[in-house]
């Protein structure tokens, strides 16, 4: 099926941050959209992160953002190439190792999970890029080559921001690199709407409500989009597909690159022992001790087979009904879902909440509340930060799961554990040839945030192409404007675990921007550092 893809992720640390600064700024300014992901030191009380009241959830996330820190920041810059075949993107991926200069909480479960997946804490403490949280400290943080200055450049670029289950990521980014978080959620969303005028997109929401995939945790969504995209490319039909290309890094620059490989989808023959919990939510309370398969490729293939079987069953039932039979399948909340997943999807909130407590180690990379699923599903997925759901590429388990501290999955659903993995569009032109030394580097690494950002961006790029080709929500004569709005139906809608409606990132007549934000924006648009 789809050939393997190798994604070059540039490792940025304190000792090469200044050297790579110009390239990062140019990539941010010239890209079509940005995808971000974070790995966090913890998320705090998981139950509070899934509170019924959204305002209470926000307060819990704020507490986590103020008391925990960002360990790694992933940035994927997607630039649409107009002179290439339709929907071809040049992608540059950066993984920034961060080190908070202030005291912060780091949770044992997060440490355990990250270490198991290759995160090097020695390297973080020795070479992490320093930063201070909250408001600018005497203005010094906004001068020169600094992470806050980079975040300022990101705001000035006015590019669409793409996240996966992004509420947690956005709160941590705001608190870590911008200003103290406002006390009210309405004030926070008002600030965000001005910070990112080109719009915020949540691929968790996109996969749940636009693509309507069987599951929406990061690894599953990425690999499903990658597989469908590859089928369109290899079949030669006119179906929607994208191509991705990467820069070629030579000389000493190659020493900064971590090559992340995503193997081709294997056959599902002879493999049937899938973990139902992981299949539905991208998370399993047994973690690596689970005797059942957490192979996302296999899960996707079996889901597709289940859908085909269900389609045939419905056809038989319709024919039977037309023939006078009484057995007609009525609409059901689980219609369209593989039968083997329904038992997990029917788990009650109380059970999932208990599972969350047992599975605190799995805090996904940054509490993104990453699961865009039903409340029950979200429960299972909660805390992407430490889950195995991040195995998007079997060959590189260390990159596959950003769960424990990656803000993407954890953000979207305190219970969702997501995995993120990369994939490429142009299966051949985008591939990077690896040397033996590069292959060694591929087997180890700490680039979960960077690779997860790549996967998030890939899902978004593919979704935009799919929606555009299918004509969803965009008239033919408005296709040129569509590139500006990308996914109109998903603009500024952030996924909320267990909720039917998303969080709308807007400034209402009843909310004002925070004073800290007003001061920061004056500095940003005045061109001062």
């Amino acid at each position: 099926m789809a050939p393997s893809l190798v994604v070059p992720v540039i490792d940025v640390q304190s000792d090469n941050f200044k050297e790579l600064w110009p390239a990062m700024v140019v990539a941010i300014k010239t890209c079509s959209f940005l995808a971000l992901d974070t790995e966090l030191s913890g998320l705090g009380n998981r139950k509070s992160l899934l509170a019924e009241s959204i305002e209470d959830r926000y307060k819990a996330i704020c507490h986590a953002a103020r008391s925990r820190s960002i360990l790694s920041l992933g940035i994927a810059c997607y630039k649409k190439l107009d002179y290439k075949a339709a929907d071809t993107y040049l992608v540059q991926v950066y993984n920034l190792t961060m080190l908070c200069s202030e005291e912060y909480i780091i949770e044992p479960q997060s440490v355990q999970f990250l270490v198991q997946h290759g995160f090097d804490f020695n390297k973080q403490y020795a070479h992490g890029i320093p930063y201070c949280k909250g408001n600018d400290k005497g203005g010094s943080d906004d001068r020169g080559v600094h992470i806050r200055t980079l975040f300022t450049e990101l705001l000035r670029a006015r590019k669409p921001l793409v996240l996966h289950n992004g509420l947690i990521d956005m709160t941590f980014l705001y608190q870590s690199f911008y200003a103290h978080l406002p006390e009210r959620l309405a004030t926070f969303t008002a600030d965000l709407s001005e910070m990112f005028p080109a719009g915020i997109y949540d691929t968790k929401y996109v996969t749940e409500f636009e693509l309507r995939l069987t599951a929406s945790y990061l690894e599953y969504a990425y690999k499903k989009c990658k597989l469908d995209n590859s089928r369109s490319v290899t079949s030669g039909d006119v179906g929607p597909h994208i191509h991705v290309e990467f820069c070629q890094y030579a000389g000493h620059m190659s020493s900064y690159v971590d090559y992340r490989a995503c193997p081709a989808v294997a056959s599902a023959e002879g493999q049937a022992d899938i973990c139902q919990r992981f299949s539905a939510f991208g998370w399993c309370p047994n973690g690596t001790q689970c005797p059942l398969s957490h192979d996302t490729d296999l899960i996707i293939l079996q889901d597709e087979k289940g859908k085909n079987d269900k389609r045939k069953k419905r056809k038989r039932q319709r024919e039977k009904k037309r023939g006078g039979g009484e057995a007609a399948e009525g609409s059901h909340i689980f219609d369209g879902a593989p039968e083997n997943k329904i038992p997990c999807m029917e788990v009650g909130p109380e059970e999932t909440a208990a599972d969350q407590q047992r599975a605190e180690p799995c805090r996904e990379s940054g509490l993104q509340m990453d699961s865009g699923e039903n409340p029950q599903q979200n429960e299972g997925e909660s805390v992407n930060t430490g889950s195995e759901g991040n195995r998007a590429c079997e060959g590189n388990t260390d990159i596959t799961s950003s769960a424990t501290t990656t803000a993407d999955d954890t953000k979207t659903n305190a219970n969702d554990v997501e995995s993120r993995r990369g994939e490429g569009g142009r299966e051949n032109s985008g591939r990077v040839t690896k040397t033996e030394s590069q292959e060694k580097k591929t087997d180890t690494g700490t680039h979960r945030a960077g690779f997860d950002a790549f996967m998030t961006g890939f899902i978004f790029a593919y979704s935009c192409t799919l929606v555009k080709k299918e004509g969803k929500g965009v008239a033919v004569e408005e296709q040129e404007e569509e590139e500006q709005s990308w996914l109109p139906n998903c603009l500024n809608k952030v996924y909320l675990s267990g909720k039917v409606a998303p969080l709308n990132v807007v400034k209402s007549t009843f909310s004002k921007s925070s004073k800290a934000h007003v001061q920061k924006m004056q500095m940003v648009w005045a061109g001062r550092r």
Side-chain angles (χ1 to χ4, degrees):
M1 289 194 177
S4 297
L5 179 78
V6 179
V7 180
V9 180
I10 301 176
D11 189 8
V12 185
Q13 302 173 11
S14 60
D15 51 4
N16 65 1
F17 185 49
K18 186 173 183 179
E19 177 187 353
L20 295 172
W21 172 270
M24 287 191 291
V25 172
V26 170
I28 289 173
K29 288 183 176 181
T30 60
C31 71
S32 301
F33 67 84
L34 285 161
L36 299 185
D37 181 73
T38 61
E39 293 182 39
L40 313 176
S41 68
L43 292 173
N45 185 291
R46 307 300 189 279
K47 186 176 181 180
S48 300
L49 298 176
L50 294 174
E52 182 67 22
S53 167
I54 304 304
E55 194 69 40
D56 289 343
R57 287 192 195 186
Y58 173 70
K59 291 179 181 178
I61 298 173
C62 284
H63 176 71
R66 291 165 180 156
S67 57
R68 276 77 173 170
S69 72
I70 294 177
L71 304 182
S72 182
L73 170 65
I75 303 176
C77 302
Y78 278 70
K79 180 180 180 179
K80 195 168 185 179
L81 302 178
D82 296 330
Y83 58 90
K84 291 277 185 139
D87 301 312
T88 295
Y89 293 87
L90 175 65
V91 186
Q92 297 182 65
V93 185
Y94 297 91
N95 189 91
L96 287 73
T97 300
M98 309 304 305
L99 181 62
C100 183
S101 300
E102 304 166 315
E103 290 186 356
Y104 62 89
I105 295 173
I106 182 164
E107 300 174 13
Q109 298 92 337
S110 297
V111 174
Q112 182 181 33
F113 175 84
L114 289 172
V115 170
Q116 289 175 348
H117 292 84
F119 191 91
D120 189 342
F121 280 94
N122 288 329
K123 184 169 72 171
Q124 187 218 2
Y125 284 106
H127 304 291
I129 301 169
Y131 73 93
C132 293
K133 295 186 290 184
N135 297 328
D136 298 338
K137 303 297 187 289
S140 60
D141 281 350
D142 289 314
R143 299 196 193 103
V145 178
H146 191 278
I147 187 62
R148 279 182 178 258
T149 319
L150 184 67
F151 192 72
T152 297
E153 293 293 346
L154 189 151
L155 297 179
R156 287 175 179 158
R158 292 174 173 263
K159 303 297 182 181
L161 176 64
V162 183
L163 305 156
H164 188 83
N165 208 349
L167 180 58
I168 291 175
D169 282 323
M170 290 189 295
T171 54
F172 269 80
L173 290 170
Y174 190 109
Q175 178 68 27
S176 299
F177 309 139
Y178 192 66
H180 280 306
L181 284 161
E183 295 300 323
R184 295 179 60 249
L185 177 60
T187 305
F188 178 60
T189 56
D191 289 357
L192 289 176
S193 66
E194 295 183 343
M195 293 167 64
F196 301 99
I200 296 173
Y201 297 87
D202 190 334
T203 53
K204 179 76 173 175
Y205 179 83
V206 172
T207 54
E208 282 277 330
F209 296 94
E210 188 72 25
L211 302 187
R212 297 188 178 279
L213 300 185
T214 302
S216 60
Y217 51 93
L218 184 59
E219 178 188 353
Y220 185 102
Y222 164 73
K223 299 201 82 172
K224 173 60 175 171
C225 290
K226 177 177 181 291
L227 179 60
D228 290 346
N229 185 73
S230 298
R231 286 169 173 166
S232 293
V233 173
T234 56
S235 66
D237 62 21
V238 293
H241 59 269
I242 65 171
H243 301 293
V244 296
E245 297 182 356
F246 305 101
C247 297
Q248 300 295 318
Y249 301 100
H252 77 284
M253 272 294 294
S254 61
S255 64
Y256 302 151
V257 181
D258 184 23
Y259 293 90
R260 301 283 86 190
C262 192
V265 176
S267 170
E269 295 181 4
Q271 304 178 47
D273 298 330
I274 288 179
C275 173
Q276 302 303 315
R277 172 76 65 174
F278 187 90
S279 174
F281 313 125
W283 167 88
C284 171
N286 297 321
T288 56
Q289 304 302 315
C290 181
L292 302 175
S293 175
H294 289 180
D295 185 340
T296 311
D297 289 333
L298 179 59
I299 291 170
I300 291 173
L301 293 176
Q302 288 208 350
D303 282 353
E304 292 181 340
K305 181 179 182 300
K307 280 188 175 181
N308 290 332
D309 292 344
K310 190 153 190 149
R311 194 174 295 115
K312 293 177 181 177
K313 181 180 178 182
R314 286 175 174 169
K315 183 178 180 180
R316 289 195 299 268
Q317 289 176 331
R318 286 195 298 269
E319 292 175 348
K320 184 176 181 180
K321 184 179 180 181
R322 284 195 296 268
E326 297 180 356
E329 183 176 7
S331 62
H332 188 274
I333 188 174
F334 297 129
D335 278 357
E339 293 181 1
N340 64 338
K341 289 191 179 183
I342 292 178
C344 289
M345 300 170 77
E346 292 175 335
V347 174
E350 295 181 0
E351 180 178 339
T352 50
D355 286 342
Q356 283 183 342
Q357 297 300 323
R358 291 195 300 268
E360 284 206 349
C362 335
R363 239 185 276 126
E364 210 188 24
S365 37
L367 178 63
Q368 294 180 346
M369 300 189 127
D370 157 299
S371 55
E373 303 138 18
N374 304 334
Q376 293 104 333
Q377 289 177 321
N378 295 334
E379 303 166 13
E381 288 184 345
S382 76
V383 189
N384 294 350
T385 48
S387 89
E388 294 192 280
N390 297 328
R391 297 184 182 171
C393 301
E394 297 178 352
N396 296 307
T397 50
D398 45 348
I399 37 178
T400 40
S401 83
S402 351
T404 304
T405 48
T406 306
D408 291 342
D409 294 347
T410 317
K411 303 171 194 172
T412 47
N413 194 340
N415 293 320
D416 299 345
V417 180
E418 299 220 6
S419 62
R420 317 159 192 182
R421 270 326 178 185
E423 176 213 348
R426 183 175 306 259
E427 319 298 335
N428 296 317
S429 62
R431 193 168 309 137
V432 178
T433 302
K434 298 186 295 176
T435 62
E436 292 183 6
S437 61
Q438 290 169 351
E439 289 185 5
K440 288 182 180 179
K441 218 173 174 187
T442 303
D443 294 333
T444 60
T446 63
H447 293 286
R448 284 175 298 280
F451 199 85
D452 287 354
F454 168 78
M455 289 196 292
T456 299
F458 187 93
I459 295 169
F460 181 72
Y462 178 74
S463 299
C464 290
T465 298
L466 183 65
V467 171
K468 180 175 66 175
K469 293 292 175 62
E470 293 181 351
K472 290 183 179 179
V474 181
V476 175
E477 62 272 13
E478 298 176 347
Q479 285 190 357
E480 292 185 2
E481 296 181 8
E482 183 273 342
E483 184 173 341
Q484 302 283 329
S485 58
W486 297 96
L487 291 173
N489 295 335
C490 302
L491 176 64
N492 290 332
K493 294 179 180 178
V494 178
Y495 177 80
L496 292 175
S497 301
K499 300 294 183 180
V500 176
L503 172 67
N504 291 310
V505 180
V506 296
K507 183 176 183 178
S508 71
T509 55
F510 304 100
S511 62
K512 296 182 179 180
S513 299
S514 65
K515 292 182 179 179
H517 163 72
V518 172
Q519 294 174 352
K520 287 287 293 188
M521 291 306 287
Q522 290 176 348
M523 178 273 293
V524 169
W525 300 123
R528 297 180 335 189
R529 282 181 164 77

